[in-house]
Amino acid sequence: MCLSHEVLTAAYQGFLDQLTDAGLLIPSGVPGVYGHSGVFERVLEGFDQSITRRSAHLNAEVIRFPGVLNRQHYLKTSHIESFPDLMGSIHSFTGNERDHLGLLQKRADGEDWTQDLKPTQLMLTPATCYPLYPTATGTLREGGRTVDLRSFVFRHEPSIDPCRMQMFRMHEAVRLGSPEQALAHRGLWMELGKEILNAAGLNVECVVANDPFFGRGGRVMAVSQKEQSLKFEMVIPVATAEKPTAIMSCNYHLDYFGKAFGIHTADGQVAHSACMGFGLERVTLALFKTHGFHPDRWPADVKHELGL
Amino acid sequence: MCLSHEVLTAAYQGFLDQLTDAGLLIPSGVPGVYGHSGVFERVLEGFDQSITRRSAHLNAEVIRFPGVLNRQHYLKTSHIESFPDLMGSIHSFTGNERDHLGLLQKRADGEDWTQDLKPTQLMLTPATCYPLYPTATGTLREGGRTVDLRSFVFRHEPSIDPCRMQMFRMHEAVRLGSPEQALAHRGLWMELGKEILNAAGLNVECVVANDPFFGRGGRVMAVSQKEQSLKFEMVIPVATAEKPTAIMSCNYHLDYFGKAFGIHTADGQVAHSACMGFGLERVTLALFKTHGFHPDRWPADVKHELGL
C-alpha cells in the first residue's frame, strides 16, 4: 500500500505525542533523541532479560563494547561508501590556548566553530557487531564463535517517527564460522526471535528486507541484497498499521566481515558471519503500542515473561 | 607524593596488561576504549543494582537519556569554555551523490575527508546529568526534584590508564531545588555513597577535588572550586597505590544549571543543584583490583551484595 507523506507524518506525530503525553518519552529538542522514563526502561530491560533467558542454551560469549568504533576499523568496512548519510564521526578540540580563544571568538561571532575541531580516533558504532570483527582477526577456534553483544548505536536520520531514533540500543548475537554455521545461526534465530517476540505478545511477520544503501548505486545493492535473501526482518505495526516497523533482523553477511578483517576458520577458509539484532527501543515501543501505556494492565503472561 | 611520569606509565600499562590478559578488557586499538567481558559486565551491573537497592528509599524519578546532547543545550553550558579538549562533537555526511564521490575521492587520495562532514544537532554527553537540565526549564514542583540517571558519557582523553576511558557509564542522582536541598542531597550521598562502596568491600577516602578545567584560566577556576569545597571525590588505589583514583564524586553546582536553563523553585528563586555520580567502570576496576580477577573467589559478603 502506498501511503501519502502527510498521512504517515500525522501517524508518527500522533504516536509521538501520545508517548510524550504519557511521560514515556521526554523530548530533547532534537528529532529522534529522547529521555526515557523509568517505566519505559523497566519494560526494555525486562524484554532484554527475556532474550538472555531464552537464548541461554546457546552458551554465547558475552562481550559489551561502548558505542564507539576505532576509526581505522570503520574505514576497513564499506560503511562510508554505503551509508555515509548515517555516519557519526566524533570530533574534538585539540589545540592550545590561543587556538581556544579563536574557537570561542568564532562561536561568539556566529561563525562555524566546528571546523576548528579535529577528528578523533573514534566513530560512533553503526551496528552493535562492528567492533567485534576487528578483535577476531586471525584464526577462529574449531567450531567458530557465537557472541552475545549489546550497545548503543548511532544513525544520523532525524525523524519524528518515534521508532526511528538516532541513538538506540541493539542486542545482537553474532556467529563467526563456516557458511553452514552462519546460515544455521540465522535460521535458528529466525525461529527463536519469533518465539521470544511472541512470548511478549508481539505477533510479528517475517519479511525479506534490504538495508538503506545510499544513492542510486545503493538501489542496485538493495535489489541484490533482496535477491540473495541476505536480510530478514520481523515487522509489526507500531506507529501505523499500514506501514509495519522492523523490530528485529536476521542477517547473513557472506564473507564480508571475514575478508575485511582477516578472520579465518580453523580449516583456513575465510570466515562467514551472520547476526541477529533486536532494536530494543523499537521492541519496547511495539509493546506499548500492542498492550497499552500501562504495563500493570498488560496480560498476565506478558508481565510474567518480562518480569514486570 | 610526586611520582615520575615513567613510574605512573609503567603502573598503568602493567594493570592494563593484567586486565587484557585476564580477558576482562578487550583492546580496540584506541587508548581508553575496550570491549568488556561478560564477567566484567556482571560485576558492573551487580554494583549498579546495589546503588539502586540502597537508594530506593529516596524515591528518585528514573530517567535514562542516550549518551547524546542537543548541541544548542551544550552551548548553553560553559563546557566549550572550560573543557573544550574533552568534547565530542558528532559530525555526519549531509551532501548529495556528487558530494559523496568527492568525499570518497579525498579518502582514496589520503586527504582529510572529515572536513567534508557537517556538524549534526548532537554532541556526546560530557556528564550524565547534562541532558536533564534543559528538560527542567520552568518552575519546579514544591520540594524540588530528585532524579536517578544513568548513561554513557564521552571524554576525549586517550590514556593507557585503564581507569581513564573515553566512553564510560555514570550512574547519577541529581537534586534540583533550594540551596539547602541541594546541599542536603550532596551531604546525604557523601554518607550513602561511602556506605554503598564499603558494602562492596571498597575502603574509599573522601577528598576535596576539582574538575580538569582547560588552560591557565582553568587553573584559577580549579583553585576557586576547591576553595569553595564544591566537589568531593571518593578515591581508592586502583592502578597504583600512590595515586588513588576517584570512583565517585559529589558536586554542588550552586545556581549554575538553574541559571543556564531557567529553572526556578516553587517560590520563584533560581534553582540550585547538586549531583552525585558513580563511575561504573572505575568502580568495577577497583573491585577487581581489591578482590582479585575471579569474582567466584571474592568474599561472601561482597558476592552477596553484588548478587554474584
Side-chain angles (χ1 to χ4, degrees):
Chain A
M1 187 181 305
C2 189
L3 285 179
S4 80
H5 180 69
E6 286 72 22
V7 172
L8 261 186
T9 300
Y12 293 148
Q13 189 65 58
F15 187 46
L16 182 55
D17 289 347
Q18 287 175 4
L19 291 161
T20 55
D21 289 351
L24 292 168
L25 296 186
I26 300 156
S28 73
V30 174
V33 176
Y34 314 96
H36 306 113
S37 74
V39 173
F40 187 101
E41 290 294 309
R42 223 164 39 240
V43 170
L44 185 146
E45 295 297 344
F47 180 78
D48 193 66
Q49 281 159 28
S50 162
I51 302 172
T52 299
R53 206 170 51 243
R54 287 182 177 265
S55 61
H57 61 286
L58 301 178
N59 289 313
E61 294 169 61
V62 174
I63 305 182
R64 297 288 178 262
F65 292 95
V68 287
L69 180 65
N70 185 328
R71 185 180 294 269
Q72 286 180 27
H73 296 159
Y74 173 82
L75 290 171
K76 284 192 175 180
T77 73
S78 60
H79 193 276
I80 193 171
E81 280 98 19
S82 300
F83 313 104
D85 49 330
L86 302 181
M87 79 160 68
S89 176
I90 305 174
H91 297 208
S92 194
F93 173 76
T94 58
N96 59 25
E97 287 183 69
R98 178 193 291 264
D99 302 325
H100 185 222
L101 291 175
L103 178 82
L104 295 180
Q105 191 58 52
K106 278 194 183 169
R107 187 206 154 189
D109 294 344
E111 291 175 39
D112 182 9
W113 55 271
T114 65
Q115 290 297 313
D116 286 12
L117 306 182
K118 297 281 179 236
T120 68
Q121 289 176 281
L122 295 166
M123 302 287 290
L124 289 171
T125 304
T128 294
C129 58
Y130 273 55
L132 173 68
Y133 306 110
T135 70
T137 297
T139 302
L140 296 168
R141 70 178 77 100
E142 191 74 43
R145 284 174 73 183
T146 306
V147 187
D148 178 286
L149 300 162
R150 176 180 151 171
S151 76
F152 274 94
V153 300
F154 178 79
R155 293 184 185 175
H156 185 243
E157 41 180 0
S159 167
I160 59 161
D161 177 1
C163 286
R164 199 165 291 282
M165 295 188 185
Q166 294 198 57
M167 189 86 157
F168 59 94
R169 284 160 281 188
M170 198 184 273
H171 192 143
E172 284 200 26
V174 175
R175 187 80 170 99
L176 287 165
S178 67
E180 294 72 29
Q181 287 165 338
L183 278 167
H185 176 80
R186 189 180 65 165
L188 179 160
W189 269 105
M190 284 168 71
E191 290 300 314
L192 183 54
K194 199 165 193 176
E195 180 190 311
I196 291 171
L197 291 164
N198 287 346
L202 298 177
N203 295 316
V204 290
E205 193 189 341
C206 184
V207 298
V208 183
N210 61 267
D211 287 309
F213 296 98
F214 180 77
R216 273 169 302 182
R219 285 199 283 280
V220 179
M221 296 177 75
V223 168
S224 161
Q225 188 183 29
K226 260 195 166 166
E227 278 176 358
Q228 295 179 82
S229 295
L230 295 178
K231 185 181 197 72
F232 292 90
E233 289 179 341
M234 300 293 172
V235 302
I236 189 169
V238 185
T240 138
E242 283 78 9
K243 196 179 176 206
T245 298
I247 58 177
M248 184 219 179
S249 73
C250 297
N251 308 277
Y252 177 37
H253 314 131
L254 300 165
D255 60 0
Y256 173 77
F257 289 108
K259 264 189 189 153
F261 294 102
I263 310 169
H264 294 87
T265 58
D267 61 355
Q269 304 298 306
V270 175
H272 283 230
S273 61
C275 74
M276 77 81 191
F278 288 97
L280 296 178
E281 278 79 358
R282 285 190 175 186
V283 169
T284 306
L285 291 171
L287 287 165
F288 283 117
K289 180 67 180 190
T290 303
H291 303 307
F293 286 0
H294 300 280
D296 47 330
R297 299 179 208 156
W298 288 5
D301 56 337
V302 173
K303 286 204 282 187
H304 180 260
E305 176 67 23
L306 305 182
L308 298 171
Chain B
M1 188 182 303
C2 189
L3 286 179
S4 81
H5 179 68
E6 286 73 22
V7 171
L8 261 186
T9 300
Y12 292 149
Q13 190 65 57
F15 187 46
L16 182 56
D17 289 347
Q18 286 175 4
L19 291 161
T20 55
D21 289 351
L24 293 167
L25 296 186
I26 300 156
S28 73
V30 174
V33 176
Y34 314 96
H36 305 113
S37 74
V39 172
F40 188 100
E41 289 295 308
R42 225 166 36 242
V43 170
L44 186 147
E45 295 297 345
F47 180 78
D48 193 66
Q49 281 160 28
S50 162
I51 302 172
T52 299
R53 208 169 52 243
R54 286 182 177 265
S55 61
H57 60 286
L58 300 178
N59 289 311
E61 294 169 62
V62 173
I63 304 181
R64 297 287 179 262
F65 292 96
V68 288
L69 179 66
N70 184 328
R71 186 180 293 270
Q72 288 179 28
H73 296 158
Y74 173 81
L75 290 172
K76 285 192 177 180
T77 72
S78 60
H79 194 276
I80 193 171
E81 280 99 18
S82 300
F83 313 103
D85 50 329
L86 301 181
M87 79 159 69
S89 177
I90 305 175
H91 298 210
S92 194
F93 173 76
T94 59
N96 59 24
E97 287 182 69
R98 178 192 290 265
D99 302 326
H100 186 221
L101 291 176
L103 178 83
L104 295 180
Q105 191 58 52
K106 278 194 183 171
R107 186 205 154 189
D109 294 344
E111 292 174 37
D112 182 9
W113 54 272
T114 66
Q115 291 296 313
D116 285 12
L117 306 181
K118 298 282 181 233
T120 68
Q121 291 176 278
L122 295 166
M123 301 286 291
L124 289 171
T125 305
T128 294
C129 58
Y130 272 55
L132 173 68
Y133 306 110
T135 71
T137 297
T139 301
L140 297 167
R141 71 179 77 99
E142 191 74 44
R145 283 175 74 183
T146 306
V147 186
D148 178 286
L149 301 161
R150 176 179 151 173
S151 76
F152 273 95
V153 301
F154 178 79
R155 294 184 184 173
H156 185 243
E157 42 180 359
S159 166
I160 58 160
D161 177 2
C163 286
R164 199 166 290 282
M165 295 189 185
Q166 293 198 56
M167 190 86 157
F168 59 94
R169 285 162 280 189
M170 198 184 274
H171 191 141
E172 284 201 26
V174 175
R175 187 81 172 99
L176 287 165
S178 67
E180 295 72 27
Q181 288 166 337
L183 278 167
H185 177 79
R186 190 180 65 165
L188 179 160
W189 270 104
M190 283 168 70
E191 290 301 314
L192 183 54
K194 200 164 192 176
E195 181 189 312
I196 292 171
L197 291 164
N198 287 346
L202 298 178
N203 295 315
V204 289
E205 192 189 342
C206 184
V207 297
V208 184
N210 61 268
D211 287 310
F213 296 97
F214 180 77
R216 273 168 300 182
R219 284 200 283 279
V220 179
M221 297 177 75
V223 169
S224 160
Q225 187 183 30
K226 261 196 164 168
E227 279 176 357
Q228 294 178 82
S229 295
L230 296 178
K231 185 181 196 71
F232 291 89
E233 289 179 342
M234 301 291 172
V235 301
I236 189 169
V238 185
T240 137
E242 284 79 10
K243 196 178 175 205
T245 298
I247 58 176
M248 183 221 180
S249 73
C250 296
N251 308 278
Y252 178 36
H253 313 131
L254 300 165
D255 59 1
Y256 172 77
F257 288 109
K259 264 189 188 152
F261 293 103
I263 311 169
H264 293 87
T265 58
D267 61 355
Q269 304 298 307
V270 175
H272 282 230
S273 61
C275 75
M276 79 79 193
F278 288 96
L280 295 178
E281 278 80 357
R282 284 191 175 187
V283 169
T284 306
L285 291 171
L287 287 165
F288 283 116
K289 180 66 179 188
T290 304
H291 303 307
F293 286 0
H294 300 280
D296 48 330
R297 299 180 208 156
W298 288 4
D301 56 338
V302 173
K303 286 203 282 187
H304 180 260
E305 177 67 23
L306 305 182
L308 298 172

